[in-house]
Amino acid sequence: MQFPFRYNGITCDWGDNMQYNITDFLFNDGMKRNISTDINVKELNFGNNNYQIDFIHIDVDITNLGYKKINLKGVIKGTLKIPCDRCMEEVDYNLETNFSKDIEFDGDEKIEFIDGYNLDLEKFALDEIIIHLPMKVLCSDTCKGICNQCGTNLNKGTCNCDNSDIDPRLTVFKDLFKEF
Ligand SMILES: [Zn+2]
Ligand SMILES: [Zn+2]
């Protein structure tokens, strides 16, 4: 494929990243376009974490609202590999997030995913995903986690560590059960 090329009326330059030049779009009031594309990124770097990405797809309607203002509305879908909060095994986490954003091109506000009259869909999609990442992911509600002494994954095996340092308040119940 030759770059840049015309996609659905919008000039795309896929050189290094996913920059959509929307100059012509911006000067046609009321103009509306849809872009539906995969984001070709393999890894999401966030804080100290690197999450492997299976796929990310963005479907976005761009509407010119007039006065150099546009609206981005659509959905981002994807699958990331995120470690289970208890056992650290990687979980396929499916995400789907809707968005609707107004962008003013002559505003003072610096917008991360806008560079001149270019819209960086990759940056935009990754930002949206980071905002909507869950606080924690579990491989299963019944995940037993790892032994905090020897590191054995207790979903896969047992160990001989004494992990019976039960909260003293709970021993009351332990004794109670003995009576039955
Ligand atoms: Zn787990
Ligand atoms: Zn152990």
Side-chain angles (χ1 to χ4, degrees), residues 34 44 47 57 67 70 94 99 101 109 116 129 162 168 180:
N34 173 268
L44 177 67
H57 188 91
Y67 306 104
I70 64 168
N94 301 312
F99 57 86
K101 271 189 172 24
E109 199 186 338
I129 288 171
D162 180 11
F180 293 101

Side-chain angles (χ1 to χ4, degrees), residues 147-152 154 159-161 163:
C147 169
N148 56 25
Q149 294 185 51
C150 72
T152 297
L154 299 173
C159 62
N160 295 316
C161 301
N163 285 323

Side-chain angles (χ1 to χ4, degrees), residues 34-99:
N34 173 268
I35 302 171
S36 185
T37 181
D38 285 330
I39 306 284
N40 298 313
V41 192
K42 290 288 155 232
E43 213 172 57
L44 177 67
N45 306 307
F46 168 56
N48 295 319
N49 304 306
N50 290 316
Y51 299 138
Q52 199 191 314
I53 295 170
D54 283 350
F55 83 96
I56 297 173
H57 188 91
I58 183 168
D59 195 305
V60 54
D61 287 323
I62 308 178
T63 308
N64 184 333
L65 302 175
Y67 306 104
K68 289 195 182 174
K69 197 171 169 186
I70 64 168
N71 173 269
L72 303 177
K73 190 175 193 308
V75 60
I76 297 165
K77 292 180 186 178
T79 304
L80 313 177
K81 294 207 185 306
I82 300 181
C84 169
D85 197 57
R86 290 183 199 156
C87 72
M88 305 306 285
E89 287 281 309
E90 282 189 332
V91 181
D92 282 333
Y93 179 76
N94 301 312
L95 66 90
E96 179 168 343
T97 174
N98 296 294
F99 57 86

